[in-house]
Amino acid sequence: MIQELHDIQAAAGATFAELTTKEIVPVSFGNDAEAIAATKQGAALYDRTHWGRIQISDSDRLRFLHNQSTNNFNILKPGQGCDTVFVTSTARTIDLATAYATEDAVLLLVSPNRRRQLLELLDRYIFPMDRVELTDLTDTTVAFSVLGPESTQLLEKIGVTELENQPYATHKLINFAGMEVRVAVGCGLANPGYTLIAPASDAANLWKELVKAGAVPMGDRVWEQLRIEQGRPAPDFELTDDYNPLEARLLHTITYDKGCYIGQETIARLNTYKGVKQELWGVQLSGAVEPGTAVTIGQEKVGKLTSFTETESGFFGLAYIRTKAGGEGLKVQVGSVSGEVVNVPFLSS
């Protein structure tokens, strides 16, 4: 079923790569500049099928997820959703996930390289009395994101009109051309957009219909460039055992008054005593530099570069910078390259 989708993508110029997690992804459609332009002036289409989809069902599902991550699940009604961060017992980051509550389940969209870890983590915390069931839906479903200012008009062409101006992660199951598709507000980046989740058997048809409606296919390489430019933290780069969600500036994912959950004590203490020692920022760079390079001011190390990309307007990176060193406008050195700290749209200020 996914092979048919890949055949269509290959015919449209896609080149593929295998991730370390073994998923095959379209890296580029040979149209990177056009795809970037579509995210700014039209609508681009990104295949997120290699991302994980985990379903949590049964009667204790909301209480269970409430206890496992940073956001408030107990207030979610069917059709609503939120971003949340899964953390360790010491509040170190594991993954930034998006949750969609339905009538009888919660669907988590998680990073490709965190699916198995999260399945194991969640399974470990299900106790005999818990009425919770975990199902990995990754291989039986697909996920696409449409992003750009024309996304709403594009969805209108295929009959989706109910989600315009709705809050982030609001979602609805729609029937389109004989396909049952869950459409949610938000594309995973700071651009306006939507995410569509459907059965794997409908993958090729859904992709074809979205392209026919005017979406410009976009490869993983462009997504990676955009996520760095916009400041979306990623596992193994910004989300690791070295950092917590406050340092990653994922403030929109944290509910301080929700009660006890894994990592809650550490996060509450950091917030109460203003104990955040470093924060994630964008860095405009004068040249290319490797992630992991120290960020310095004079002889003093003030941070570390975590991601790097080259954009049409120059070189750009993400870095954790010591809070006492300063923030936006700070002039720094990253290895042999000069840089300026800038804000990025994805992160809470």
Side-chain angles (χ1 to χ4, degrees):
M1 292 180 283
I2 299 300
Q3 188 55 52
E4 190 185 350
L5 171 64
H6 286 173
D7 290 345
I8 289 167
Q9 292 171 333
T15 52
F16 296 85
E18 186 176 328
L19 301 180
T20 52
T21 45
K22 300 301 180 194
E23 289 92 356
I24 306 292
V25 301
V27 177
S28 174
F29 286 82
N31 67 341
D32 291 2
E34 185 192 352
I36 289 166
T39 68
K40 295 173 181 174
Q41 291 132 21
L45 175 60
Y46 174 56
D47 184 356
R48 294 176 79 181
T49 300
H50 57 295
W51 289 58
R53 287 166 295 285
I54 301 170
Q55 179 181 276
I56 296 92
S57 53
D58 218 336
S59 56
D60 288 336
R61 62 190 181 276
L62 290 175
R63 178 189 61 77
F64 174 73
L65 283 168
H66 190 83
N67 294 340
Q68 302 303 320
S69 69
T70 57
N71 220 329
N72 189 344
F73 278 80
N74 285 341
I75 62 170
L76 286 184
K77 302 281 188 290
Q80 295 179 334
C82 65
D83 282 347
T84 196
V85 182
F86 288 92
V87 295
T88 66
S89 57
T90 54
R92 302 303 185 167
T93 53
I94 298 170
D95 195 21
L96 168 63
T98 305
Y100 305 111
T102 71
E103 294 289 346
D104 54 8
V106 176
L107 182 60
L108 291 177
L109 184 61
V110 306
S111 300
N113 52 354
R114 286 295 183 267
R115 169 173 60 124
R116 289 178 181 85
Q117 185 179 343
L118 284 172
L119 279 164
E120 288 169 14
L121 179 82
L122 293 171
D123 189 53
R124 195 183 315 143
Y125 284 104
I126 298 175
F127 297 108
M129 297 297 286
D130 288 335
R131 296 164 83 163
V132 174
E133 190 174 327
L134 290 181
T135 313
D136 186 358
L137 298 182
T138 309
D139 293 338
T140 57
T141 58
V142 292
F144 304 144
S145 282
V146 178
L147 54 156
E150 298 289 318
S151 300
T152 298
Q153 292 89 321
L154 185 130
L155 287 191
E156 280 173 3
K157 289 182 190 172
I158 65 170
V160 182
T161 56
E162 306 95 323
L163 292 170
E164 189 171 0
N165 300 321
Q166 290 300 303
Y168 175 77
T170 301
H171 56 98
K172 194 172 178 63
L173 199 61
I174 62 135
N175 196 294
F176 156 63
M179 298 178 276
E180 277 218 327
V181 183
R182 186 166 301 282
V183 184
V185 178
C187 63
L189 293 173
N191 307 71
Y194 300 87
T195 295
L196 296 82
I197 298 171
S201 53
D202 292 326
N205 282 341
L206 182 57
W207 182 270
K208 275 194 292 194
E209 292 294 339
L210 292 167
V211 171
K212 197 163 78 178
V216 177
M218 176 181 110
D220 198 56
R221 187 163 64 206
V222 172
W223 169 275
E224 183 66 5
Q225 178 187 319
L226 293 174
R227 85 139 190 103
I228 295 169
E229 278 186 286
Q230 296 181 14
R232 180 185 170 114
D236 297 334
F237 295 93
E238 292 76 34
L239 303 178
T240 73
D241 268 350
D242 295 326
Y243 310 110
N244 64 61
L246 292 171
E247 293 170 334
R249 291 170 64 201
L250 294 172
L251 306 186
H252 72 286
T253 70
I254 302 170
T255 306
Y256 291 109
D257 58 0
K258 63 175 267 188
C260 194
Y261 63 92
I262 292 169
Q264 179 259 339
E265 284 183 21
T266 303
I267 288 174
R269 197 163 56 243
L270 285 167
N271 182 52
T272 302
Y273 298 107
K274 306 294 180 224
V276 178
K277 293 185 170 63
Q278 57 191 343
E279 286 186 311
L280 186 61
W281 292 90
V283 188
Q284 202 79 52
L285 298 159
S286 64
V289 63
E290 285 292 318
T293 303
V295 179
T296 56
I297 299 175
Q299 298 301 307
E300 187 184 6
K301 182 182 175 184
V302 297
K304 184 173 88 168
L305 194 78
T306 53
S307 289
F308 169 82
T309 189
E310 188 173 351
T311 77
E312 59 270 36
S313 55
F315 302 99
F316 197 83
L318 293 175
Y320 280 97
I321 306 284
R322 276 220 328 256
T323 312
K324 285 181 177 172
E328 193 169 9
L330 186 69
K331 300 287 194 292
V332 294
Q333 196 73 17
V334 186
S336 60
V337 164
S338 61
E340 181 178 340
V341 174
V342 296
N343 218 336
V344 276
F346 189 86
L347 301 176
S348 312
S349 54

